Amino acid sequence: MTFGDWVSDTRNRVRDDGVAGLRESGYELYLGGLRRVNEFYPEGTNVYDREWDALILLDACRVDLMREVADEYPFLNRPGELVSVGSSSIDWMERTFTDQRRDEMRRTAYVTGNPFSHRVLSESDLVRLDDVWRYAWDDDAGTIPARPITDRAIAAGRETDADRLVVHYMQPHFPSVPDPLGGGMNSETLGEGAGWDSPWDRLRRGELTEERVWESYRENLRYVLDDVSLLLENLDAERVVISADHGNAKGEWGVYGHPKVPIPSVRRVPWYETAAEDEGTHDPETERNVERGDIEEKLGALGYL
């Protein structure tokens, strides 16, 4: 957006929406400037530069959020941090799965609940690309639940000879499954053009308190970590890392959520090391199936569009 366009847009917002429109326009302009900085901010560590057999990504998980619940899960006893290569999921994928990493990618299986995978990867890039979001999406929850990801990750561990396995859960990214704060959007609603009002935006506007949003966020992390516990009992991997693609901002630098901005609360992610042994306590119930629903609608349900 040019300055002239912004002035025109601001005038229209004030006319139609009053001061609230001005605030929204100013916030978008501010984010636009930060996004431009992000393009020239390459700092971060590619996960392929670290040693691991299985990498479990908890989408949009903050470092301090993980610390709050770590003592509830025995496998979170070796804490660490990493500066992510990305500020959003697609940012992370584009900067992780690069042409320079082709040899490593061809030895990797990727099980993902994040719909951005279709914009970056194809079946030929990896040992296995399992886009679980294509066939196990839950319209009621407005997201991809944890259990189908767990099921397909167990299957990938048992069925492939991949040297490395990446398991990408959608939680604790909102909407929160156990405490939805209004939930996500189903495909029918999104098809009519409605969007999803993220709890982070509602916090920014003062409609929700930070305490309430954090409570929902934390419960969503516990929800997915319960499934991670099940996965670790049904996967053989000597070196397992539990991390995130990016974090979230809750007001730092005046930012909320995870737009493509290079600020520490979004770029710093947990890095917990553990191990896994397949004890055969769970047989996967989710089978690979045909795609259900529209890709862009699923991205919209997660607040990406």
Side-chain angles (χ1 to χ4, degrees), residues 45-48 52 55 57 84-86 89-102 104-105 120-121 166 245:
T45 301
N46 191 304
V47 293
Y48 276 121
W52 48 269
L55 174 64
L57 293 175
S84 175
V85 294
S89 295
I90 192 166
D91 212 16
W92 181 86
M93 290 182 198
E94 289 175 339
R95 294 181 175 185
T96 297
F97 301 116
T98 64
D99 288 340
Q100 292 76 23
R101 304 290 179 171
R102 289 295 176 188
E104 293 153 295
M105 289 166 59
V120 179
L121 296 165
V166 179
D245 51 351

Side-chain angles (χ1 to χ4, degrees), residues 35-198:
R35 288 189 180 104
R36 284 190 286 275
V37 173
N38 190 64
E39 296 301 317
F40 304 98
Y41 191 87
E43 292 185 15
T45 301
N46 191 304
V47 293
Y48 276 121
D49 290 333
R50 294 288 187 93
E51 294 295 324
W52 48 269
D53 302 309
L55 174 64
I56 299 172
L57 293 175
L58 308 181
D59 203 292
C61 185
R62 285 177 59 116
V63 170
D64 50 359
L65 181 72
M66 185 78 97
R67 286 176 179 166
E68 281 193 19
V69 305
D71 61 356
E72 301 172 22
Y73 298 89
F75 52 85
L76 296 178
N77 61 352
R78 294 180 62 189
E81 295 181 19
L82 183 79
V83 177
S84 175
V85 294
S87 304
S88 65
S89 295
I90 192 166
D91 212 16
W92 181 86
M93 290 182 198
E94 289 175 339
R95 294 181 175 185
T96 297
F97 301 116
T98 64
D99 288 340
Q100 292 76 23
R101 304 290 179 171
R102 289 295 176 188
D103 288 343
E104 293 153 295
M105 289 166 59
R106 292 189 181 101
R107 300 194 298 272
T108 302
Y110 185 31
V111 176
T112 180
N114 193 301
F116 274 125
S117 59
H118 88 283
R119 296 188 182 179
V120 179
L121 296 165
S122 65
E123 291 276 358
S124 62
D125 293 326
L126 304 152
V127 172
R128 173 180 290 185
L129 174 60
D130 195 339
D131 288 325
V132 186
W133 54 268
R134 291 184 183 272
Y135 54 85
W137 183 267
D138 187 330
D139 262 345
D140 291 334
T143 188
I144 175 72
R147 185 52 51 88
I149 303 297
T150 302
D151 280 352
R152 298 310 307 156
I154 291 171
R158 291 174 180 171
E159 297 170 2
T160 74
D161 59 355
D163 292 337
R164 285 180 156 182
L165 171 65
V166 179
V167 183
H168 194 155
Y169 289 95
M170 271 314 304
Q171 292 75 34
H173 188 294
F174 284 121
S176 173
V177 175
D179 185 13
L181 294 179
M185 303 297 291
N186 63 41
S187 57
E188 291 182 3
T189 303
L190 285 164
E192 296 170 358
W196 176 57
D197 207 6
S198 164

Side-chain angles (χ1 to χ4, degrees), residues 2 9 15 17 118 137 171 215:
T2 67
D9 180 69
R15 181 195 64 208
D17 304 326
H118 88 283
W137 183 267
Q171 292 75 34
E215 177 185 23

